[in-house]
Amino acid sequence: MTEQLDAGLVARRIAGSDQVGEPRDPAEGREVGRARRRREDARLITGRTRWTDNIQLPGMLHVAFLRSPMAHARLTRVDVSAALAMPGVVAAFSGRDFAGEQGSLPCAWPVSEDVVIPDHPPMAVDRVRYVGEAVACVVATDRYRAADALEAIEADYEPLEAVLDMTEALSDGAPAVHEAGNQAFTWRFSGGDADAAFHDAPVVLDRTYVQQRLIPTAMEPRAVVAVPEGEGFTLYSATQIPHILRVMLALTTGIPEHLLRVVAPDVGGGFGSKLQVTAEEVLGLLLARRLGRPVKWTESRSEGNLTAHHGRDQIQRISVAAERDGRIRGVRVDLLADMGAYLMLVTPGVPLLGAFMYSGVYKMDAYDFTCTGVFTTKVPTDAYRGAGRPEATFAIERAVDELAAELGLDPVEVRRRNWISREEFPYTTVAGLTYDSGDYEAATERALALFGYDELRAEQADRRERRDPVQLGIGVSTYTEMCGLAPSRVLGSLSYGAGGWEHAAVRLLPTGKVEVVTGTSPHGQGHETSWSQITADALGVPFEDVSVLHGDTAVSPRGMDTYGSRSLVVGGVAVLAACEKVKEKAKRLAAHLLEAADDDVEFADGTFRVRGTDQGRTIQELALAAFAAHDLPDGFEPRLDADATFDPENFSFPHGTHLCAVEADTETGRVAIRSYVAVDDVGRVVNPLIVEGQVRGGIAQGIGQALFEEAVHDTGGNLLTTTMADYLIPSAADLPDFVTDRTETPATSNPLGVKGVGEAGTIAATPAVVNAVVDALRPHGVRDVPMPCTPERVWRALARSRANDGGTR
Amino acid sequence: MIPAPFDYVRPASLDEACRVLGEAGDGDGDGEVKALAGGQSLLPLLRLRLAYPSVLVDLGRLEELRGVHDRGDHVFIGALTTHDEVLRSPVVREHAPLVALATATVADPAVRHRGTFGGSLAHADPAGDLPAVALALDCVLVTASGAGGREIPAAGFFTGYLETALEPGEVLTGVKVPKLGDGWGFHYEKFHRTAQAWAVVGVAAAVRIDAGAVAQARIGLTNMGPAPVRARAVETALRGVTPPAAGAGGGHDPVKDACAWADEGTSPPTDLHARPDYRRHLARVLTHRAVRAALP
């Protein structure tokens, strides 16, 4: 090949090097579908990588924040002068010192006409509204001195009454969190005629469920490094959203967007908690600007529990109208959603992401939804794994189990009578979504078989008969979710501030290696592996010859980042689209060099061949030819690369059936999960190992909500669960081995047929577990146990129902 | 989080440790001197700024405080012996199985490799597993000090919430665990919400059967008050009771009746995981389970 490419020195060196890539060996089979171990894991697990807190820069200073000990108070005085005198302290500021420039933390989702978006200064100026709100900061030569100097700051507060309960917050005379009152917004939605559906309905079920407040517990705490560089700034942050963050920070701080680079180095998990524009990011930049030196802030676990946004926290009133045979006529939902003290990036939108999912997998005539957002004096809520959809799925799946119990029917049978059958897809639900594909029958049949449903029901009957102190409960969850966030037009119609497209760039380097630039921002999802697999198949190059670049606005200038199970469904498809464009270019070049018509050139296994001949060029040879540019078609730019943006027409709708068996010790209240079966349909699968990891982690987190996790405040609004000794998350030692399997109904909304898997397990698991807990206790007269179903709560539920029963059981 | 500033001393000898610990005096408030063993309880308190010692005395170099020794009528466990070393000791397993059973439930492997037997007793957390065991077994805690040291029976050692009989300048050097002899059975029943969590309630039980009836029972309760307590009422009620045969369904169970006294004389705390009435209930249920499991 060198002869044909002429004799340029660089080109000859490249062509003669054993570093030049070659096409993939077709005998190895396709990359997509292969259970590859994640190529990024070695560096992530060993920590030999650039976590934000690992970054050390010359002259770097360290920031610590003084935080309000009051849930609600007037901040009458902050005096930082004594802190300034402490050793190593370079500067100290109160909110007042930044009043003119700190702006207001943004809310990008003004959900309704009546929405109240209160001013949200990154550092409080004259009022604090939750425990942990920053009131002052110290900048010192090291972290230790900064922390010590905080104790020298004097801050005076005039306490105001804390507002902790949503119902009380909305009542007359409640202390106002903000001048405009405690109601953030109301949002209504309906499909069909709910009055007709409920009128004369043979069965009407009313239930209230509480989605407790949760603390998203990512392994890596939040961290920020802000660096003045030349005219502008670089901000390193443990964030899920470098691209959105850059835009928002430019708007908030007044630093022009083109002079602001945002980098998300390797990020250790987020679960939504890093889908945020935080006070610490804004203040980091402002401090770097004012001091002209790099500054770093890394939160402790307790500081994170106090100040990073929380999740869930809703009170759901759900009514179901049904026929005696279990067929659902309609559903009404009245939701109170705790916003906390302020509206942050997507705070008010979270409950609305669930608004379209309360009909679940079921057909019904009518659906009516109302949501009221409520301000309280707690840290704001915002996205947490599933964001709105776990709540909706929980309510409908719990209610369907209750309906089955009310009617004396098997909960699986009630689902069968109501779900969208496989022949009915695409199906437009009562909530107006069009589910493109699905096969609830297949997933459920598989799950029932793996679970041994009939045998477990027989054992349950036997234990009930024997009045075994350890009762068996079986919980069902046939979930679906809307994910792959998603179509920009739809997001626009919901008043969301940005689009839902995703961007990718693919470039072949002179040596035939491939760089993929993605606008997604992985923080544990394994995009480097999955995107490499997609690219390897599309371009016919070895997996090892692909690298994936991400998380730096200077490297990956366009993107919408990672949340809402969107990365593969939108970003992965963008990678594929960019690969296709590169192939088109390469084909043109191949045709030129082979002196053939474009249409006579075909591509297979990394080589472009003239149809019917053995004449061909590998894609690597073409990369070099493009680079050397010695012999290109007229007008052909000397590069094999392409950009692509994908904006899907529809959400994607993963679904599945999760079955959980619990043993409930009626003497102690302890619930132990005996077996758990998950059959998920996430469409086509790029990497089964990554899907498995997402499903298992998701289930664990869903179980966390069901049995363990709860942010608890005292009556003064102090968070009591500030450490992991108090905020319990399950570890492997607390969970059984899950049985997982998949059915595969490809999505029709994207060319990969993928649906997204990041949130499925979390959405499915919580109702499966709680349904099982209640099923175990039902013979004792228990109809609900509030989450988390702790041993004490189970014991009290049993005690209450025994008392109501006159002690006959 | 970051502890407040403190001085750090790492004595090379026990004498030096006692001297340093005695110098600044021990107090309840700021400025006290604290001994550091494995640090698994103390360091979190420092980092959360719940403790502000002015001097931290690291005992880590005192090799003589490490190790398990068979001393005829008792097992001597050096205060700095890690939980993991305790668990691996054949002497402990053979002669002090209750210590091994309870130690196996302490936190997680990482903590068990750092945390020490003596440290967890001297820290005296009522939710810790080992104080109740020491109490149930009538262990003797051996100390050193400038004045020469003492032998303190467990019953007099745990004086309150995170409080012990240790005086300023006094170091716990080890624990004598009496060998109980033949006919005894043991069990530690721990009720906790996650594998790594503290005990909501724990029950350490040692039971000796003679001629088919309970001859002696020793029950220690974890987290049923500011300090570990013996369930004396149960111990008394169990004496002479003939346990029903295993698998005998229904009917009257005198062991269960006896264990219904488990919360007698306790003052269980309220926390996020349990209120007192629930803890009392758990103490009764778990004591029954512990005794049943301990029956030799």
Side-chain angles (χ1 to χ4, degrees):
Chain A
M1 86 185 163
T2 44
E3 299 87 288
Q4 287 177 5
L5 286 171
D6 201 353
L9 180 65
V10 174
R12 206 165 56 231
R13 284 229 171 123
I14 291 172
S17 166
D18 59 6
Q19 291 302 312
V20 176
E22 290 175 12
R24 244 156 52 74
D25 180 356
E28 284 185 11
R30 287 173 59 78
E31 277 293 335
V32 169
R34 179 181 291 192
R36 269 201 181 270
R37 290 197 177 184
R38 307 198 315 179
R39 61 190 309 173
E40 49 272 75
D41 279 357
R43 73 169 198 272
L44 296 178
I45 289 168
T46 59
R48 292 185 181 186
T49 190
R50 201 170 53 156
W51 305 114
T52 301
D53 191 49
N54 286 352
I55 295 171
Q56 303 292 348
L57 297 169
M60 189 165 75
L61 300 171
H62 297 261
V63 186
F65 291 97
L66 182 70
R67 298 185 176 281
S68 168
M70 304 264 174
H72 196 190
R74 276 193 204 88
L75 183 60
T76 54
R77 188 179 74 101
V78 179
D79 183 350
V80 300
S81 52
L84 283 168
M86 301 273 288
V89 173
V90 173
F93 302 103
S94 67
R96 211 170 281 280
D97 295 324
F98 278 106
E101 58 181 302
Q102 66 175 346
S104 181
L105 293 174
C107 172
W109 203 335
V111 291
S112 65
E113 292 288 322
D114 71 346
V115 69
V116 175
I117 302 182
D119 192 43
H120 185 186
M123 253 194 310
V125 177
D126 51 19
R127 179 100 168 248
V128 291
R129 293 182 174 87
Y130 64 89
V131 172
E133 192 167 358
V135 299
C137 65
V138 169
V139 189
T141 49
D142 66 51
R143 206 183 166 187
Y144 306 89
R145 289 174 158 147
D148 291 343
L150 290 183
E151 301 197 351
I153 298 175
E154 292 174 26
D156 294 340
Y157 303 87
E158 273 177 20
L160 298 166
E161 208 176 323
V163 181
L164 304 173
D165 178 275
M166 283 193 277
T167 314
E168 285 174 21
L170 293 177
S171 65
D172 291 342
V177 180
H178 295 284
E179 247 173 50
N182 296 336
Q183 183 169 310
F185 67 89
T186 51
W187 196 88
R188 290 195 171 78
F189 176 82
S190 60
D193 185 343
D195 287 341
F198 277 80
H199 181 72
D200 286 345
V203 184
V204 173
L205 201 80
D206 291 305
R207 293 286 187 274
T208 299
Y209 299 119
V210 176
Q211 296 284 328
Q212 79 270 34
R213 189 172 261 255
L214 299 178
I215 300 178
T217 308
M219 211 179 287
E220 182 205 18
R222 293 176 303 158
V224 173
V225 174
V227 189
E229 277 179 335
E231 287 181 79
F233 297 87
T234 298
L235 182 84
Y236 300 89
S237 180
T239 179
Q240 298 175 223
I241 53 160
H243 298 93
I244 294 172
L245 186 59
R246 183 195 195 197
V247 177
M248 289 297 171
L249 286 174
L251 295 171
T252 307
T253 63
I255 295 169
E257 190 180 352
H258 66 295
L259 298 180
L260 178 60
R261 173 184 169 202
V262 173
V263 184
D266 276 324
V267 176
F271 308 122
S273 69
K274 295 171 181 168
L275 165 54
Q276 194 55 271
V277 179
T278 67
E280 294 82 3
E281 288 162 336
V282 171
L283 292 166
L285 276 175
L286 299 186
L287 289 167
R289 179 160 70 184
R290 195 170 284 198
L291 301 172
R293 291 172 71 175
V295 299
K296 182 198 275 188
W297 168 78
T298 301
E299 72 184 0
S300 68
R301 179 65 60 185
S302 297
E303 193 177 19
N305 280 13
L306 272 174
T307 63
H309 72 243
H310 290 173
R312 315 277 192 264
D313 205 345
Q314 300 176 357
I315 299 172
Q316 309 169 295
R317 286 183 45 206
I318 180 167
S319 305
V320 178
E323 309 290 351
R324 283 252 141 241
D325 64 3
R327 274 182 301 141
I328 299 170
R329 287 175 159 204
V331 167
R332 272 191 179 130
V333 175
D334 191 352
L335 196 64
L336 292 182
D338 191 342
M339 305 285 100
Y342 302 97
L343 302 187
M344 295 196 73
L345 192 62
V346 297
T347 300
V350 168
L352 310 190
L353 284 172
F356 305 95
M357 296 313 300
Y358 278 89
S359 59
V361 298
Y362 311 113
K363 296 177 284 189
M364 59 188 71
D365 299 332
Y367 168 57
D368 196 73
F369 175 88
T370 305
C371 175
T372 306
V374 185
F375 289 116
T376 60
T377 52
K378 296 181 200 168
V379 74
T381 57
D382 207 313
Y384 173 54
R385 200 171 190 176
R389 291 151 291 157
E391 297 92 312
T393 304
F394 180 88
I396 187 65
E397 289 304 296
R398 277 288 293 118
V400 168
D401 258 37
E402 290 297 305
L403 179 64
E406 183 98 0
L407 297 172
L409 294 169
D410 182 286
V412 176
E413 180 54 28
V414 171
R415 286 169 169 81
R416 276 197 193 102
R417 288 178 190 178
N418 284 290
W419 70 34
I420 302 155
S421 64
R422 57 164 74 97
E423 304 81 29
E424 292 175 289
F425 289 93
Y427 182 89
T428 300
T429 71
V430 70
L433 293 172
T434 300
Y435 295 176
D436 61 322
S437 68
D439 189 339
Y440 308 146
E441 293 91 333
T444 303
E445 278 158 31
R446 184 80 190 119
L448 292 172
L450 287 170
F451 190 63
Y453 187 78
D454 295 336
E455 293 82 350
L456 283 168
R457 283 287 182 212
E459 181 185 332
Q460 176 182 52
D462 176 55
R463 289 198 192 210
R464 286 179 177 179
E465 176 75 20
R466 285 191 285 119
R467 301 210 168 170
D468 190 327
V470 179
Q471 286 287 315
L472 186 70
I474 295 168
V476 186
S477 169
T478 48
Y479 77 99
T480 186
E481 57 153 329
M482 58 182 240
C483 73
L485 306 177
S488 298
R489 282 179 302 132
V490 177
L491 294 177
S493 72
L494 292 171
S495 308
Y496 179 59
W501 49 265
E502 194 47 83
H503 179 265
V506 171
R507 48 192 187 233
L508 275 150
L509 304 177
T511 56
K513 312 290 182 178
V514 185
E515 279 179 342
V516 174
V517 179
T518 179
T520 64
S521 197
H523 43 282
Q525 292 85 350
H527 295 176
E528 289 173 31
T529 301
S530 302
W531 287 199
S532 296
Q533 289 179 274
I534 291 169
T535 304
D537 272 0
L539 299 181
V541 299
F543 173 86
E544 294 77 14
D545 282 4
V546 183
S547 76
V548 177
L549 308 176
H550 57 80
D552 179 344
T553 58
V555 172
S556 154
R558 283 177 287 278
M560 277 295 177
D561 306 318
T562 288
Y563 43 86
S565 305
R566 68 188 302 273
S567 293
L568 177 61
V569 183
V570 194
V573 175
V575 170
L576 180 66
C579 287
E580 294 300 328
K581 285 187 179 176
V582 168
K583 261 169 26 188
E584 278 307 305
K585 282 190 186 173
K587 183 178 178 183
R588 226 183 112 206
L589 179 56
H592 172 76
L593 293 174
L594 294 165
E595 298 177 354
D598 285 9
D599 290 348
D600 289 339
V601 174
E602 59 185 6
F603 176 77
D605 302 325
T607 302
F608 294 85
R609 284 192 177 78
V610 180
R611 214 180 301 274
T613 74
D614 61 356
Q615 293 281 303
R617 290 285 185 280
T618 66
I619 197 161
Q620 291 85 0
E621 290 168 338
L622 294 167
L624 180 56
F627 168 73
H630 298 164
D631 182 12
L632 300 179
D634 288 344
F636 192 96
E637 291 186 341
R639 53 196 175 91
L640 279 190
D641 57 17
D643 283 39
T645 300
F646 182 64
D647 195 342
E649 288 291 310
N650 194 1
F651 297 97
S652 59
F653 300 95
H655 71 82
T657 298
H658 287 213
L659 298 170
C660 177
V662 302
E663 290 185 352
D665 181 339
T666 57
E667 290 177 351
T668 63
R670 176 192 290 292
V671 169
I673 296 177
R674 174 156 130 187
S675 61
Y676 194 103
V677 170
V679 177
D680 294 286
D681 193 324
V682 297
R684 289 243 163 77
V685 167
V686 173
N687 185 322
L689 202 57
I690 289 179
V691 166
E692 182 85 4
Q694 286 278 19
V695 167
R696 284 172 181 264
I699 293 169
Q701 225 158 359
I703 291 172
Q705 177 171 13
L707 300 181
F708 298 103
E709 300 184 36
E710 182 175 31
V712 182
H713 295 79
D714 68 13
T715 52
N718 295 291
L719 183 71
L720 300 176
T721 48
T722 55
T723 74
M724 294 186 79
D726 309 306
Y727 189 84
L728 298 184
I729 62 169
S731 71
D734 305 301
L735 300 167
D737 193 15
F738 309 133
V739 177
T740 62
D741 200 358
R742 284 186 283 106
T743 57
E744 201 166 304
T745 317
T748 63
S749 51
N750 67 71
L752 280 174
V754 295
K755 296 181 179 175
V757 68
E759 296 157 305
T762 306
I763 291 168
T766 311
V769 175
V770 177
N771 276 340
V773 172
V774 176
D775 188 52
L777 306 179
R778 220 181 275 285
H780 290 262
V782 173
R783 288 203 313 184
D784 194 30
V785 179
M787 293 190 290
C789 304
T790 64
E792 182 171 20
R793 287 217 171 113
V794 168
W795 178 73
R796 289 196 192 282
L798 285 164
R800 246 192 321 273
S801 107
R802 279 190 203 109
N804 292 343
D805 228 21
T808 55
R809 284 179 199 272
Chain B
M1 288 196 95
I2 292 167
F6 56 83
D7 288 331
Y8 172 81
V9 187
R10 189 162 57 177
S13 70
L14 189 54
D15 285 349
E16 187 189 348
C18 293
R19 188 166 43 76
V20 180
L21 279 165
E23 268 168 10
D26 199 5
D28 293 332
D30 297 354
E32 63 183 322
V33 182
K34 273 281 183 191
L36 173 67
Q40 298 306 292
S41 299
L42 181 57
L43 289 190
L45 292 178
L46 296 181
R47 290 165 69 85
L48 293 165
R49 298 199 172 200
L50 295 172
Y52 286 77
S54 55
V55 185
L56 212 54
V57 182
D58 184 349
L59 306 178
R61 281 202 179 158
L62 307 181
E63 281 302 318
E64 64 263 45
L65 302 191
R66 208 176 289 274
V68 176
H69 310 279
D70 188 339
R71 297 212 172 135
D73 65 340
H74 69 270
V75 176
F76 185 83
I77 303 177
L80 284 189
T81 312
T82 66
H83 299 307
D84 188 66
E85 288 162 352
V86 167
L87 276 176
R88 286 168 196 277
S89 161
V91 175
V92 170
R93 277 192 225 162
E94 187 180 348
H95 298 296
L98 185 56
V99 171
L101 289 168
T103 301
T105 73
V106 170
D108 54 36
V111 169
R112 292 198 291 269
H113 275 79
R114 280 268 175 198
T116 64
F117 187 71
S120 73
L121 295 176
H123 183 60
D125 191 319
D129 301 296
L130 299 173
V133 171
L135 201 62
L137 294 178
D138 283 331
C139 291
V140 174
L141 291 92
V142 183
T143 73
S145 71
R150 295 189 283 166
E151 295 204 346
I152 311 170
F157 185 79
F158 303 103
T159 54
Y161 181 76
L162 305 181
E163 283 179 4
T164 67
L166 288 172
E167 299 284 342
E170 189 172 22
V171 175
L172 178 65
T173 57
V175 179
K176 291 180 172 179
V177 186
K179 294 182 184 174
L180 288 186
D182 296 335
W184 286 87
F186 305 95
H187 188 71
Y188 185 67
E189 183 79 19
K190 180 172 183 173
F191 192 84
H192 49 165
R193 288 190 50 202
T194 61
Q196 293 158 298
W198 299 104
V200 176
V201 174
V203 181
V207 182
R208 183 164 64 89
I209 295 286
D210 191 12
V214 175
Q216 206 179 347
R218 296 151 164 264
I219 315 283
L221 301 178
T222 299
N223 217 5
M224 285 297 289
V229 287
R230 282 282 282 269
R232 298 279 184 197
V234 177
E235 294 177 1
T236 307
L238 277 173
R239 206 165 296 147
V241 162
T242 303
H252 180 72
D253 181 350
V255 173
K256 190 173 182 179
D257 289 352
C259 292
W261 294 97
D263 63 315
E264 183 80 359
T266 64
S267 46
T270 288
D271 60 26
L272 288 172
H273 309 305
R275 279 176 274 164
D277 59 334
Y278 178 52
R279 276 205 163 85
R280 289 178 182 278
H281 170 79
L282 281 179
R284 296 190 288 263
V285 172
L286 300 177
T287 299
H288 181 217
R289 289 182 183 183
V291 168
R292 231 173 29 192
L295 289 172

